[in-house]
Amino acid sequence: MDPKKQTIIFVLIAVIATAGIVAGIMYFVMVPTPEETDELEIYHWWTSGGEAAAVGALVDVFEGLYPDTTVTQRAISGGSGITMIPIITALILAGEAPDAFQMHAGYEGIEYFKADLLDDINDIWADNNLETVIPDVVQSMCQFDGDYYMVPVNIHRSNVVWYNLNELDSIGADPKAISNWTDFFDVCNDWETANPTKDAISLAHAWTQAHLFEQILAGEGIDVYESWINGDIISGSDPDLLAALTILETFMTYTNPDFNTLAWDEATDLLIQGNSIFNVMGDWANGEFLVANSVYDDDYGTIAVPGTSNMYGLVVDAFQHPAGVAHPINSDRWLEVVASKEGQDAFNPLKGSISARTDSDLTLYGPYHDWTFADFESVTYMFPSVVHGSGAPQSFSSELSAVINDFCTGGATLAATAIAIAALASANAADFTTVWSLD
Ligand code: GAL
């Protein structure tokens, strides 16, 4: 054969072979294997009626987009993550992290981040233009060292008093006229006088007591709360700490005696049934009223916790991409659905939270949300929750519930409790790495 022709054929064969090899490599690199895309495993603690409905709606959005993927929800009951968080930590450390799990934005994920157990998801934020629709305060809570490690699914409000309107009407009390704790306890007195066998306030087990304490402390002033989450309340004789515990002490005289054995939604249910008039809880409670077909501003209503009407307590649920997960492509797809307008507008109307996006479709939300969307825009101060993982390090927040529970159950005096809370901040001073500026 003509040597020229021979060279051309040789070059052609080489080009085709190289293209084949490259295509083969591309196929394996770019095309997800069936194992990567046909399953998604997520963990969360949304097990109450309202919570389950909300996460179900979010999963429906995912399944609508990816009908060939089976979503396995591992739902671990225990509000505020009390049961799930240790389980997840054990799984992650064992290298068996699920594809994504519910986590609070802020401090809660910092130890995973420090141990290189989370992948950064800057690309998801950029590809989905999230910085243009997520409020700055939430953006910063989703970062560690300037990189994004979470996407938020919502913004819950923590500083909410729920009331039973029919019961308040029965004693002629106007909840909107309550502007301080004295007014609040006066209404409790009046109702208990009219209903001598009942307790005015429904309360549940340990973490809900710490949740309550946190709201009362915020009511002492945003500067007080800021000092607290910066780890600066380190004296047991701090007057604001003592004042907050004094209010809590009075509060406890109006609660159901079995509070320590109830889950948060059982306490909410006492109120729905007219067996109490007040319950302090984050606005995931709204989901329970919806499930019970209670009508906002007719059967029930809300005011901000006394002293906090100009504040919005932030509880932000988020998901992340753990390092080395079994289904990395679906992990990212889940995060994109979680962060999407459609996903958030399916989830949040049922969950009680507002969307973490500023472009949500308000027509999909109910009357309770008119209040929170408006307040989120108009309040002067936002404060991140400690009990719900955002505002202070886990070393501090995980012990706080036990300290407050001891007080609420009569195991520790007010003075001893103040000393214990201050000592917790001192003992964990090195972990308070975020300097919050709330005003
Ligand atoms: C919070 C969480 C909410 C809600 C609540 C009660 O910590 O942020 O989404 O689930 O616990 O379970």
Side-chain angles (χ1 to χ4, degrees):
M1 196 188 287
D2 171 356
K4 217 171 164 190
K5 259 189 186 166
Q6 245 181 359
T7 313
I8 291 172
I9 290 170
F10 177 76
V11 169
L12 270 176
I13 291 172
V15 167
I16 291 167
T18 309
I21 291 167
V22 170
I25 291 172
M26 294 287 282
Y27 179 81
F28 285 110
V29 171
M30 307 283 294
V31 179
T33 62
E35 298 77 47
E36 275 175 354
T37 55
D38 63 5
E39 279 181 43
L40 169 73
E41 184 191 38
I42 52 167
Y43 273 66
H44 57 75
W45 61 83
W46 290 319
T47 56
S48 76
E51 291 175 323
V55 68
L58 185 59
V59 168
D60 283 350
V61 174
F62 182 92
E63 289 179 337
L65 290 169
Y66 305 107
D68 297 331
T69 299
T70 304
V71 180
T72 303
Q73 294 185 53
R74 308 251 183 241
I76 313 281
S77 69
S80 186
I82 43 163
T83 315
M84 195 192 97
I85 290 172
I87 292 175
I88 282 289
T89 305
L91 284 173
I92 291 202
L93 293 178
E96 290 168 19
D99 300 318
F101 58 92
Q102 181 190 353
M103 182 172 90
H104 294 117
Y107 269 109
E108 199 166 287
I110 200 164
E111 296 304 326
Y112 306 141
F113 159 72
K114 285 198 217 153
D116 281 334
L117 294 168
L118 300 179
D119 286 350
D120 85 59
I121 52 167
N122 292 332
D123 51 345
I124 290 184
W125 275 75
D127 295 349
N128 295 277
N129 296 318
L130 296 182
E131 285 188 341
T132 61
V133 289
I134 308 266
D136 290 353
V137 61
V138 177
Q139 283 183 31
S140 58
M141 289 165 73
C142 291
Q143 299 174 21
F144 295 123
D145 275 3
D147 290 310
Y148 286 107
Y149 285 88
M150 294 155 253
V151 290
V153 67
N154 63 4
I155 303 173
H156 270 302
R157 187 176 198 176
S158 61
N159 54 320
V160 183
V161 174
W162 304 84
Y163 54 76
N164 182 311
L165 195 47
N166 298 317
E167 289 300 319
L168 290 184
D169 283 347
S170 75
I171 53 163
D174 174 8
K176 305 284 182 200
I178 297 173
S179 59
N180 53 43
W181 286 109
T182 306
D183 296 344
F184 179 88
F185 293 133
D186 281 350
V187 176
C188 292
N189 267 326
D190 291 350
W191 189 76
E192 288 194 354
T193 304
N195 298 273
T197 60
K198 295 185 177 175
D199 298 289
I201 305 171
S202 47
L203 182 67
H205 58 181
W207 71 261
T208 72
Q209 300 151 26
H211 175 105
L212 167 66
F213 169 74
E214 169 183 305
Q215 314 315 315
I216 295 174
L217 192 69
E220 293 300 300
I222 199 69
D223 48 335
V224 174
Y225 194 88
E226 183 186 281
S227 298
W228 188 53
I229 62 174
N230 283 335
D232 292 337
I233 296 191
I234 49 171
S235 161
S237 52
D238 183 280
D240 299 308
L241 194 51
L242 293 170
L245 287 169
T246 304
I247 293 166
L248 180 57
E249 190 170 51
T250 307
F251 192 102
M252 294 308 298
T253 65
Y254 294 103
T255 59
N256 46 308
D258 60 347
F259 63 87
N260 229 21
T261 64
L262 299 190
W264 71 267
D265 49 325
E266 292 175 314
T268 303
D269 197 52
L270 281 178
L271 185 142
I272 293 173
Q273 303 303 330
N275 289 321
S276 73
I277 48 170
F278 294 128
N279 174 228
V280 172
M281 187 42 58
D283 62 9
W284 41 90
N286 200 53
E288 303 313 299
F289 289 96
L290 294 183
V291 169
N293 293 318
S294 292
V295 179
Y296 189 70
D297 264 349
D298 193 0
D299 298 319
Y300 74 105
T302 52
I303 50 171
V305 166
T308 69
S309 58
N310 207 13
M311 302 179 192
Y312 207 103
L314 300 171
V315 178
V316 177
D317 291 305
F319 286 87
Q320 66 308 90
H321 186 125
V325 293
H327 311 103
I329 292 167
N330 276 337
S331 175
D332 285 351
R333 286 177 176 169
W334 172 252
L335 298 186
E336 291 193 322
V337 169
V338 161
S340 70
K341 179 167 150 60
E342 195 192 354
Q344 301 216 355
D345 283 346
F347 177 79
N348 288 304
L350 301 173
K351 188 67 171 57
S353 32
I354 56 172
S355 168
R357 301 177 57 113
T358 51
D359 61 351
S360 52
D361 179 356
L362 300 190
T363 64
L364 298 172
Y365 291 74
Y368 167 71
H369 284 96
D370 292 344
W371 181 61
T372 41
F373 274 115
D375 268 18
F376 189 76
E377 288 304 313
S378 67
V379 296
T380 312
Y381 307 114
M382 309 253 171
F383 66 94
S385 169
V386 168
V387 174
H388 304 280
S390 298
Q394 288 291 96
S395 52
F396 178 82
S397 57
S398 59
E399 299 292 321
L400 181 71
S401 283
V403 171
I404 299 292
N405 181 247
D406 222 11
F407 178 61
C408 291
T409 52
T413 63
L414 193 153
T417 305
I419 291 169
I421 294 170
L424 262 186
S426 303
N428 298 295
D431 295 336
F432 283 81
T433 48
T434 302
V435 179
W436 297 96
S437 180
L438 305 180
D439 49 8

